[in-house]
Amino acid sequence: MSTTLQAGPLCTRESLAHELRGLGVTPGETLLVHSSLGSLGWVCGGAVTVVRALLDVLGTDGTLVVPTHSGDNSDPAGWVNPPVPESWWADIRRSMPPYDADLTPCFGVGVVPETVRGWPGAVRSAHPQTSFAAVGPRATGITDGHAPDCRLGERSPLARLEEAGARVLLLGTGYGACTAFHLAEYRVPSPTADNSFAVMTSGGRRWTTVRDVAIREDRFDELGAAFEKEHPVVRGPVGAAEARLFPLADAVAHATGWLAEHRPWPARD
Protein backbone atom coordinates (compact mmCIF):
# COMPACT_ATOMS: atom_id res chain seq x y z
CA MET A 1 0.00 0.00 0.00
CA SER A 2 1.39 3.39 -1.00
CA THR A 3 2.18 5.88 1.76
CA THR A 4 2.93 8.75 -0.64
CA LEU A 5 0.74 11.77 0.05
CA GLN A 6 -1.42 13.11 -2.76
CA ALA A 7 -0.04 16.19 -4.47
CA GLY A 8 -1.98 19.36 -3.77
CA PRO A 9 -3.42 21.79 -3.49
CA LEU A 10 -6.76 20.48 -2.31
CA CYS A 11 -9.44 21.95 -4.58
CA THR A 12 -13.12 22.05 -3.66
CA ARG A 13 -16.18 23.38 -5.44
CA GLU A 14 -16.03 26.47 -3.25
CA SER A 15 -12.29 27.10 -3.67
CA LEU A 16 -12.44 26.70 -7.44
CA ALA A 17 -15.43 29.03 -7.72
CA HIS A 18 -13.65 31.61 -5.56
CA GLU A 19 -10.54 31.51 -7.74
CA LEU A 20 -12.54 31.63 -10.98
CA ARG A 21 -14.32 34.76 -9.72
CA GLY A 22 -10.98 36.22 -8.75
CA LEU A 23 -9.69 35.57 -12.25
CA GLY A 24 -12.61 37.55 -13.64
CA VAL A 25 -15.20 35.01 -14.79
CA THR A 26 -18.55 36.77 -14.40
CA PRO A 27 -22.20 35.73 -14.02
CA GLY A 28 -24.19 35.70 -17.23
CA GLU A 29 -21.31 35.44 -19.68
CA THR A 30 -20.71 32.79 -22.32
CA LEU A 31 -17.48 30.91 -21.67
CA LEU A 32 -15.61 28.43 -23.87
CA VAL A 33 -13.46 26.30 -21.57
CA HIS A 34 -10.43 24.20 -22.47
CA SER A 35 -9.30 22.30 -19.41
CA SER A 36 -6.85 19.88 -17.85
CA LEU A 37 -8.25 18.30 -14.69
CA GLY A 38 -4.85 16.93 -13.67
CA SER A 39 -3.28 20.39 -13.72
CA LEU A 40 -5.54 21.68 -10.94
CA GLY A 41 -4.19 19.57 -8.09
CA TRP A 42 -6.32 17.20 -6.05
CA VAL A 43 -9.96 18.01 -6.83
CA CYS A 44 -12.45 16.70 -4.29
CA GLY A 45 -15.14 15.22 -6.52
CA GLY A 46 -13.11 15.32 -9.74
CA ALA A 47 -14.52 16.65 -12.98
CA VAL A 48 -18.06 16.98 -11.58
CA THR A 49 -16.75 19.45 -9.01
CA VAL A 50 -15.02 21.49 -11.72
CA VAL A 51 -18.20 21.71 -13.79
CA ARG A 52 -20.27 22.64 -10.76
CA ALA A 53 -17.80 25.39 -9.85
CA LEU A 54 -17.90 26.80 -13.38
CA LEU A 55 -21.70 26.78 -13.42
CA ASP A 56 -21.80 28.35 -9.95
CA VAL A 57 -19.76 31.30 -11.19
CA LEU A 58 -21.60 31.68 -14.51
CA GLY A 59 -24.98 31.54 -12.78
CA THR A 60 -28.33 30.71 -14.34
CA ASP A 61 -27.91 33.35 -17.06
CA GLY A 62 -24.45 32.16 -18.12
CA THR A 63 -23.56 29.48 -20.66
CA LEU A 64 -20.72 26.99 -20.37
CA VAL A 65 -19.31 25.60 -23.63
CA VAL A 66 -16.68 22.89 -24.08
CA PRO A 67 -15.21 20.98 -27.03
CA THR A 68 -16.62 17.45 -27.13
CA HIS A 69 -14.59 16.30 -30.09
CA SER A 70 -14.59 12.70 -31.29
CA GLY A 71 -11.70 12.64 -33.75
CA ASP A 72 -11.45 8.87 -33.59
CA ASN A 73 -14.46 8.82 -35.94
CA SER A 74 -12.17 9.39 -38.92
CA ASP A 75 -10.37 7.65 -41.75
CA PRO A 76 -7.84 5.19 -40.26
CA ALA A 77 -5.52 5.88 -43.18
CA GLY A 78 -4.60 9.13 -41.43
CA TRP A 79 -4.13 7.76 -37.92
CA VAL A 80 -0.63 8.27 -36.53
CA ASN A 81 -0.99 8.11 -32.74
CA PRO A 82 -0.92 5.16 -33.06
CA PRO A 83 -1.32 3.99 -36.65
CA VAL A 84 -3.14 0.77 -37.40
CA PRO A 85 -2.33 -1.88 -40.02
CA GLU A 86 -3.56 -1.06 -43.52
CA SER A 87 -5.24 -4.45 -43.60
CA TRP A 88 -7.65 -3.14 -40.94
CA TRP A 89 -8.72 0.02 -42.75
CA ALA A 90 -11.63 -1.37 -44.74
CA ASP A 91 -13.10 -3.12 -41.69
CA ILE A 92 -12.77 0.04 -39.57
CA ARG A 93 -14.52 2.14 -42.21
CA ARG A 94 -17.27 -0.46 -42.42
CA SER A 95 -17.65 -0.91 -38.64
CA MET A 96 -17.03 2.54 -37.08
CA PRO A 97 -20.12 3.44 -35.01
CA PRO A 98 -21.96 6.45 -36.44
CA TYR A 99 -21.86 9.71 -34.53
CA ASP A 100 -24.63 10.01 -31.96
CA ALA A 101 -24.80 13.29 -30.04
CA ASP A 102 -26.23 11.50 -27.01
CA LEU A 103 -23.91 8.50 -26.93
CA THR A 104 -20.61 9.16 -28.72
CA PRO A 105 -17.92 9.81 -26.09
CA CYS A 106 -15.34 12.57 -26.32
CA PHE A 107 -11.88 11.64 -27.54
CA GLY A 108 -8.68 13.44 -26.65
CA VAL A 109 -10.16 16.53 -24.97
CA GLY A 110 -10.20 15.44 -21.32
CA VAL A 111 -12.61 14.35 -18.68
CA VAL A 112 -14.23 17.75 -17.99
CA PRO A 113 -15.77 17.97 -21.50
CA GLU A 114 -16.92 14.36 -21.21
CA THR A 115 -18.65 15.33 -17.95
CA VAL A 116 -20.34 18.35 -19.54
CA ARG A 117 -21.47 16.17 -22.46
CA GLY A 118 -23.62 14.11 -20.10
CA TRP A 119 -24.71 17.02 -17.88
CA PRO A 120 -28.46 17.51 -17.36
CA GLY A 121 -29.72 19.94 -19.98
CA ALA A 122 -26.54 19.83 -22.08
CA VAL A 123 -26.93 20.38 -25.82
CA ARG A 124 -24.35 19.04 -28.28
CA SER A 125 -23.65 20.09 -31.85
CA ALA A 126 -23.98 17.71 -34.78
CA HIS A 127 -20.50 17.46 -36.26
CA PRO A 128 -19.23 13.85 -36.12
CA GLN A 129 -15.66 14.90 -35.21
CA THR A 130 -15.58 18.43 -33.75
CA SER A 131 -18.77 18.83 -31.76
CA PHE A 132 -19.20 21.25 -28.86
CA ALA A 133 -21.51 20.84 -25.88
CA ALA A 134 -23.12 23.68 -23.98
CA VAL A 135 -25.13 24.17 -20.80
CA GLY A 136 -27.13 27.34 -20.26
CA PRO A 137 -29.67 29.62 -21.94
CA ARG A 138 -27.54 30.18 -25.09
CA ALA A 139 -26.70 26.50 -25.55
CA THR A 140 -29.06 25.76 -28.44
CA GLY A 141 -28.22 28.90 -30.39
CA ILE A 142 -24.51 28.16 -30.12
CA THR A 143 -24.65 24.49 -31.07
CA ASP A 144 -27.32 24.56 -33.82
CA GLY A 145 -26.35 24.34 -37.47
CA HIS A 146 -22.92 22.72 -37.15
CA ALA A 147 -22.36 21.65 -40.76
CA PRO A 148 -20.62 18.35 -41.56
CA ASP A 149 -18.27 20.08 -44.02
CA CYS A 150 -17.30 22.85 -41.58
CA ARG A 151 -15.46 21.47 -38.58
CA LEU A 152 -14.42 24.75 -36.96
CA GLY A 153 -15.42 27.51 -39.38
CA GLU A 154 -18.29 29.88 -40.11
CA ARG A 155 -20.97 27.18 -39.75
CA SER A 156 -19.62 25.89 -36.45
CA PRO A 157 -20.21 26.87 -32.81
CA LEU A 158 -16.97 28.88 -32.87
CA ALA A 159 -18.55 31.49 -35.14
CA ARG A 160 -21.66 31.58 -32.95
CA LEU A 161 -19.46 32.07 -29.89
CA GLU A 162 -17.72 34.96 -31.60
CA GLU A 163 -21.09 36.56 -32.36
CA ALA A 164 -22.16 36.07 -28.74
CA GLY A 165 -19.12 37.91 -27.37
CA ALA A 166 -17.86 34.79 -25.61
CA ARG A 167 -14.59 34.57 -23.77
CA VAL A 168 -12.11 31.70 -23.70
CA LEU A 169 -10.82 30.15 -20.48
CA LEU A 170 -7.67 28.06 -20.77
CA LEU A 171 -7.79 26.17 -17.49
CA GLY A 172 -4.42 24.49 -17.15
CA THR A 173 -3.96 24.14 -20.91
CA GLY A 174 -1.76 26.01 -23.36
CA TYR A 175 -2.64 27.77 -26.57
CA GLY A 176 -2.16 24.52 -28.44
CA ALA A 177 -5.66 23.63 -27.21
CA CYS A 178 -7.23 26.95 -28.26
CA THR A 179 -9.83 25.95 -30.85
CA ALA A 180 -10.69 29.61 -31.51
CA PHE A 181 -7.52 29.88 -33.59
CA HIS A 182 -8.98 27.35 -36.02
CA LEU A 183 -11.78 29.75 -36.95
CA ALA A 184 -9.07 32.04 -38.30
CA GLU A 185 -7.86 29.24 -40.59
CA TYR A 186 -11.16 29.51 -42.46
CA ARG A 187 -10.55 33.23 -43.02
CA VAL A 188 -7.12 33.01 -44.61
CA PRO A 189 -6.11 31.23 -47.81
CA SER A 190 -6.07 27.54 -46.88
CA PRO A 191 -6.20 24.29 -48.85
CA THR A 192 -9.05 21.86 -48.54
CA ALA A 193 -8.92 18.12 -48.01
CA ASP A 194 -11.23 15.12 -47.86
CA ASN A 195 -12.57 14.36 -44.41
CA SER A 196 -14.35 11.08 -43.68
CA PHE A 197 -16.49 9.76 -40.83
CA ALA A 198 -19.44 7.52 -39.99
CA VAL A 199 -22.85 9.15 -39.67
CA MET A 200 -26.45 8.05 -39.28
CA THR A 201 -28.78 9.13 -42.08
CA SER A 202 -32.44 8.52 -42.88
CA GLY A 203 -31.22 5.57 -44.91
CA GLY A 204 -29.12 4.15 -42.08
CA ARG A 205 -25.44 4.25 -41.19
CA ARG A 206 -23.12 5.64 -43.85
CA TRP A 207 -19.37 6.19 -44.21
CA THR A 208 -19.27 9.73 -45.61
CA THR A 209 -16.56 11.90 -47.14
CA VAL A 210 -16.83 15.69 -47.36
CA ARG A 211 -14.47 18.45 -48.47
CA ASP A 212 -13.34 20.81 -45.71
CA VAL A 213 -10.55 23.22 -44.82
CA ALA A 214 -7.36 21.37 -43.86
CA ILE A 215 -6.96 22.51 -40.25
CA ARG A 216 -3.80 21.99 -38.16
CA GLU A 217 -2.47 23.03 -34.75
CA ASP A 218 1.24 23.53 -35.40
CA ARG A 219 2.69 26.80 -34.05
CA PHE A 220 -0.44 27.61 -32.02
CA ASP A 221 1.76 28.02 -28.91
CA GLU A 222 3.86 30.57 -30.80
CA LEU A 223 0.69 32.28 -32.02
CA GLY A 224 -0.61 32.44 -28.44
CA ALA A 225 2.58 34.05 -27.18
CA ALA A 226 2.33 36.69 -29.91
CA PHE A 227 -1.33 37.26 -29.04
CA GLU A 228 -0.48 37.89 -25.39
CA LYS A 229 2.08 40.54 -26.33
CA GLU A 230 -0.54 42.61 -28.14
CA HIS A 231 -3.80 41.93 -26.29
CA PRO A 232 -4.86 41.91 -22.65
CA VAL A 233 -5.01 38.36 -21.32
CA VAL A 234 -5.97 37.81 -17.69
CA ARG A 235 -3.66 35.27 -16.10
CA GLY A 236 -3.87 33.76 -12.64
CA PRO A 237 -3.90 30.57 -10.59
CA VAL A 238 -6.84 28.21 -10.27
CA GLY A 239 -5.76 25.44 -7.97
CA ALA A 240 -2.28 24.48 -9.13
CA ALA A 241 -3.07 25.43 -12.72
CA GLU A 242 -2.26 28.60 -14.58
CA ALA A 243 -5.43 29.96 -16.18
CA ARG A 244 -5.85 32.44 -19.02
CA LEU A 245 -9.02 34.39 -19.82
CA PHE A 246 -9.57 36.47 -22.96
CA PRO A 247 -12.22 37.44 -25.54
CA LEU A 248 -12.64 34.86 -28.28
CA ALA A 249 -13.12 37.53 -30.95
CA ASP A 250 -9.76 39.11 -30.08
CA ALA A 251 -8.03 35.74 -30.44
CA VAL A 252 -9.63 35.06 -33.81
CA ALA A 253 -8.83 38.51 -35.17
CA HIS A 254 -5.20 38.29 -34.12
CA ALA A 255 -4.83 34.76 -35.43
CA THR A 256 -6.26 35.74 -38.81
CA GLY A 257 -3.44 38.21 -39.39
CA TRP A 258 -0.72 36.14 -37.74
CA LEU A 259 -1.44 32.93 -39.62
CA ALA A 260 -1.49 34.68 -42.97
CA GLU A 261 1.93 36.20 -42.25
CA HIS A 262 3.74 33.52 -40.26
CA ARG A 263 2.16 30.22 -41.30
CA PRO A 264 0.93 30.65 -44.86
CA TRP A 265 -0.61 27.80 -46.81
CA PRO A 266 -0.65 27.44 -50.57
CA ALA A 267 -3.75 28.97 -52.11
CA ARG A 268 -7.02 27.13 -51.47
CA ASP A 269 -7.87 24.67 -54.22
Side-chain angles (χ1 to χ4, degrees):
M1 183 171 61
S2 174
T3 59
T4 304
L5 289 175
Q6 290 283 349
L10 167 63
C11 300
T12 65
R13 177 176 175 178
E14 293 76 18
S15 71
L16 291 173
H18 175 75
E19 290 175 321
L20 289 165
R21 292 188 184 99
L23 187 71
V25 178
T26 58
E29 73 170 308
T30 300
L31 193 67
L32 172 60
V33 178
H34 298 284
S35 58
S36 166
L37 178 65
S39 71
L40 294 170
W42 195 84
V43 180
C44 185
V48 170
T49 290
V50 175
V51 176
R52 282 176 169 159
L54 286 162
L55 293 175
D56 286 346
V57 177
L58 292 171
T60 56
D61 294 329
T63 299
L64 171 64
V65 186
V66 296
T68 49
H69 299 174
S70 47
D72 52 335
N73 183 2
S74 58
D75 194 330
W79 293 357
V80 295
N81 190 27
V84 295
E86 185 173 353
S87 60
W88 296 5
W89 293 357
D91 285 340
I92 290 172
R93 292 175 186 132
R94 185 168 49 250
S95 304
M96 179 67 68
Y99 174 73
D100 184 312
D102 294 325
L103 297 177
T104 300
C106 303
F107 180 82
V109 290
V111 66
V112 172
E114 177 67 8
T115 302
V116 175
R117 181 187 71 81
W119 204 262
V123 181
R124 191 180 188 187
S125 70
H127 198 281
Q129 294 174 344
T130 57
S131 66
F132 290 76
V135 177
R138 300 179 189 88
T140 299
I142 288 167
T143 57
D144 270 359
H146 196 171
D149 60 347
C150 189
R151 283 175 287 187
L152 298 168
E154 307 299 341
R155 291 172 293 149
S156 81
L158 287 178
R160 307 291 79 76
L161 286 163
E162 182 185 41
E163 293 166 356
R167 291 198 291 175
V168 177
L169 174 65
L170 300 181
L171 189 57
T173 66
Y175 283 102
C178 183
T179 54
F181 289 156
H182 286 296
L183 180 55
E185 292 185 298
Y186 285 75
R187 298 178 179 176
V188 299
S190 303
T192 59
D194 285 342
N195 186 35
S196 301
F197 38 72
V199 294
M200 183 60 72
T201 71
S202 58
R205 178 204 175 275
R206 286 185 56 195
W207 182 255
T208 301
T209 299
V210 299
R211 199 74 177 169
D212 198 355
V213 169
I215 59 175
R216 53 185 181 150
E217 292 82 24
D218 59 293
R219 300 187 70 183
F220 272 15
D221 286 335
E222 185 180 347
L223 167 55
F227 170 65
E228 284 199 6
K229 289 181 179 179
E230 298 187 22
H231 296 271
V233 174
V234 180
R235 297 175 61 171
V238 177
E242 180 178 47
R244 290 176 168 88
L245 181 66
F246 51 89
L248 183 144
D250 287 356
V252 175
H254 184 87
T256 301
W258 192 95
L259 289 171
E261 179 180 358
H262 297 280
R263 205 198 66 178
W265 278 103
R268 186 176 298 178
D269 58 354

